[in-house]
């Protein structure tokens, strides 16, 4: 059956201290499932659309519980692979009084063995939209090849796609990231990045010129996010900005994915680009106002946020 979104990447078990705002002193942890791509898949499912997510998980208990968490959100996870490597994790503090500090336990993880042959044409032709991120490119060379393959096949098969630069400086150097990500940031319907991500990949954070440059590279909707500050966009050469709804920021982690998911869902529901970006911005702000990557993801139907959110 046709799905609205196909995405793939690494899901992590995120261990967050509950008794202290530092991993250095915390003794108790809450575990949740998250990851840039799966967050987008869940964002669409919450809005009543059909998401399919692929990853490789370890043959371990963390893999098992994470698959259950994702399936419980209504995301189609039926074609994931279980491989003889460990399931990745991340350890962090909640960031209530101190800045969020993250540690990854993911080098050599199950998901880092994702490869281009995992992404069959069937996954792509059975979807209305394909979403990828720079994180999959950072976790391994085979992951980067899988992203390049998925974007190329989506283009060849006429399926709309998006690419979130999602630079993770703990995973690779700026030079490595720019070399791999720049050639991928082209010919997508929707390109997303933060100010410093554009600076690393495109060598400039001047929103007007760098977003126009992205349009010229075939990215129809190019967006530069900036936390709770106005997000800048350029749609086919038309530049503008959107002020995100004001909220008390509790946990910004995951809000970028909520923005992306809310926007893609809006576009798939038939909204014009600007209305879809506004919906994305609303979704991102809501997630930032609550703790956790999935907690604040709004509900809706047909890709449109319900008014009571
Ligand atoms: O975008 C939110 C992600 O950063 C978080 O869920 C963990 O995927 C993650 C990562 O690689 O940092």
């Amino acid at each position: 059956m046709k799905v609205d979104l196909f995405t793939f990447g690494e899901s992590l078990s995120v261990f967050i201290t509950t008794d202290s705002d530092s991993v250095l002193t915390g003794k108790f942890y809450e575990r949740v499932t998250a990851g840039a791509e799966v967050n987008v898949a869940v964002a669409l499912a919450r809005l009543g659309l059909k998401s399919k997510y692929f990853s490789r998980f370890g043959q371990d208990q963390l893999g098992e519980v994470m698959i259950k968490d994702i399936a419980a959100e209504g995301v189609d996870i039926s074609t994931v692979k279980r491989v003889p490597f460990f399931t990745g994790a991340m350890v962090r503090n909640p960031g209530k009084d101190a800045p969020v500090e993250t540690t990854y336990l993911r080098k050599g993880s199950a998901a880092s063995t994702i490869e281009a042959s995992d992404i069959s044409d069937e996954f792509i032709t059975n979807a209305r939209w394909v979403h990828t991120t720079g994180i999959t490119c950072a976790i391994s060379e085979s992951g980067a090849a899988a992203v390049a393959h998925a974007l190329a096949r989506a283009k060849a098969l006429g399926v709309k796609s998006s690419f979130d630069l999602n630079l993770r400086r703990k995973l690779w150097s700026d030079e490595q990231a720019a070399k791999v990500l720049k050639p991928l940031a082209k010919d997508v319907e929707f390109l997303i990045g933060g100010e410093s991500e554009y600076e690393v990949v495109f060598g400039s954070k001047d929103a007007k010129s760098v977003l126009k440059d992205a349009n010229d590279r075939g990215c129809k909707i190019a967006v530069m996010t900036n936390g709770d500050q106005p997000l800048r966009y350029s749609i086919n050469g038309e530049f503008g900005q959107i002020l995100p709804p004001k909220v008390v920021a509790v946990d910004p982690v995951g809000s970028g994915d909520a923005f992306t998911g809310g926007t893609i869902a809006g576009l798939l529901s038939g909204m014009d680009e600007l209305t879809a970006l506004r919906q994305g911005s609303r979704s991102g702000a809501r997630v930032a106002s609550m703790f956790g990557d999935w907690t604040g993801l709004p509900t809706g139907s047909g890709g449109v946020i319900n008014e009571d959110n």
Side-chain angles (χ1 to χ4, degrees), residues 10-12 14 34-37 39 90 102 104 106 135 139 166 168 171 253-257 293:
E10 182 159 43
S11 289
L12 301 167
V14 184
E37 300 84 0
N39 292 350
M90 176 169 124
T102 59
Y104 290 129
R106 69 194 307 188
I135 300 177
I139 58 176
N166 253 337
R168 290 291 180 271
L171 298 178
V253 182
S255 63
D257 307 324
D293 288 33

Side-chain angles (χ1 to χ4, degrees), residues 11 16 19 40 77 97 108 114 127 145 160 176 178 180 186 188 194 204 240 252 255 260 273 279 289-290 292 300 303:
S11 289
I16 309 165
D19 59 336
V40 172
I77 193 170
D97 311 310
I114 290 176
K160 286 183 177 167
Q176 285 173 306
V180 174
K186 66 171 174 65
V188 291
S204 164
S255 63
T260 300
E273 291 90 349
Q279 167 164 291
S289 73
M290 293 179 211

Side-chain angles (χ1 to χ4, degrees), residues 191-204:
L191 177 72
I192 313 107
E195 216 174 54
S196 62
E197 293 171 333
Y198 275 98
E199 192 171 20
V200 167
V201 177
F202 289 92
S204 164

Side-chain angles (χ1 to χ4, degrees), residues 181-229:
L181 300 183
K182 193 166 179 191
L184 298 174
K186 66 171 174 65
D187 297 332
V188 291
E189 185 75 8
F190 182 27
L191 177 72
I192 313 107
E195 216 174 54
S196 62
E197 293 171 333
Y198 275 98
E199 192 171 20
V200 167
V201 177
F202 289 92
S204 164
K205 60 177 180 179
D206 177 71
K208 220 171 185 167
S209 71
V210 89
L211 295 176
K212 165 83 172 59
D213 188 26
N215 289 156
D216 292 343
R217 294 166 62 86
C219 306
K220 185 176 163 200
I221 309 167
V223 167
M224 184 186 279
T225 57
N226 196 10
D228 60 0
Q229 298 303 301

Side-chain angles (χ1 to χ4, degrees), residues 31 40 43 64 83 87 89 110 112 126 131 177 193 198 201 214 219 224 256-257 259 274 276 279 297 302:
R31 189 209 62 83
V40 172
E64 197 170 319
V83 294
T87 301
S112 68
N126 275 346
H131 176 65
Y198 275 98
V201 177
C219 306
M224 184 186 279
D257 307 324
F259 161 72
L274 207 49
Q279 167 164 291
L297 283 173

Side-chain angles (χ1 to χ4, degrees), residues 9-294:
E10 182 159 43
S11 289
L12 301 167
S13 259
V14 184
F15 292 89
I16 309 165
T17 48
T18 53
D19 59 336
S20 154
D21 208 1
S22 169
V23 169
L24 294 174
T25 49
K27 291 210 177 337
F28 297 94
Y29 289 82
E30 176 189 0
R31 189 209 62 83
V32 294
T33 298
E37 300 84 0
V38 77
N39 292 350
V40 172
V42 173
L44 267 83
R46 288 270 178 99
L47 293 177
L49 298 181
K50 286 192 168 53
S51 299
K52 180 180 176 72
Y53 171 72
F54 173 82
S55 192
R56 289 184 174 214
F57 291 87
Q59 292 155 342
D60 47 22
Q61 290 188 321
L62 282 184
E64 197 170 319
V65 71
M66 287 159 66
I67 288 171
K68 266 196 203 132
D69 287 348
I70 298 164
E73 288 289 336
V75 173
D76 175 357
I77 193 170
S78 57
T79 52
V80 294
K81 290 184 180 162
R82 307 292 297 272
V83 294
F85 296 87
F86 66 92
T87 301
M90 176 169 124
V91 184
R92 57 167 280 208
N93 59 320
K96 285 182 186 142
D97 311 310
V100 175
E101 284 270 351
T102 59
T103 303
Y104 290 129
L105 307 169
R106 69 194 307 188
K107 201 171 173 52
S109 68
S112 68
T113 69
I114 290 176
E115 56 188 30
S117 64
D118 285 333
I119 313 303
S120 71
D121 274 2
E122 203 192 323
F123 290 171
I124 293 170
T125 50
N126 275 346
R128 296 172 64 205
W129 192 290
V130 173
H131 176 65
T132 58
T133 86
I135 300 177
T136 314
C137 303
I139 58 176
S140 64
E141 278 179 26
S142 69
V147 170
H149 172 78
L151 290 174
R153 293 308 293 152
K155 188 180 171 202
L157 296 164
V159 178
K160 286 183 177 167
S161 63
S162 44
F163 185 55
D164 187 339
L165 297 173
N166 253 337
L167 181 67
R168 290 291 180 271
R169 287 187 151 124
K170 287 192 172 158
L171 298 178
W172 55 357
S173 70
D174 287 2
E175 293 69 33
Q176 285 173 306
K179 202 169 147 216
V180 174
L181 300 183
K182 193 166 179 191
L184 298 174
K186 66 171 174 65
D187 297 332
V188 291
E189 185 75 8
F190 182 27
L191 177 72
I192 313 107
E195 216 174 54
S196 62
E197 293 171 333
Y198 275 98
E199 192 171 20
V200 167
V201 177
F202 289 92
S204 164
K205 60 177 180 179
D206 177 71
K208 220 171 185 167
S209 71
V210 89
L211 295 176
K212 165 83 172 59
D213 188 26
N215 289 156
D216 292 343
R217 294 166 62 86
C219 306
K220 185 176 163 200
I221 309 167
V223 167
M224 184 186 279
T225 57
N226 196 10
D228 60 0
Q229 298 303 301
L231 74 82
R232 270 78 55 91
Y233 65 82
S234 182
I235 303 166
N236 283 332
E238 202 162 308
F239 181 80
Q241 55 181 37
I242 294 173
L243 188 63
K246 280 260 164 290
V247 292
V248 178
V250 170
D251 178 20
V253 182
S255 63
D257 307 324
F259 161 72
T260 300
T263 303
I264 296 171
L267 292 167
L268 290 174
S269 79
M271 287 176 190
D272 63 64
E273 291 90 349
L274 207 49
T275 312
L277 288 172
R278 287 209 180 93
Q279 167 164 291
S281 181
R282 188 171 157 200
S283 171
R286 195 170 193 277
V287 165
S289 73
M290 293 179 211
F291 191 71
D293 288 33
W294 296 359

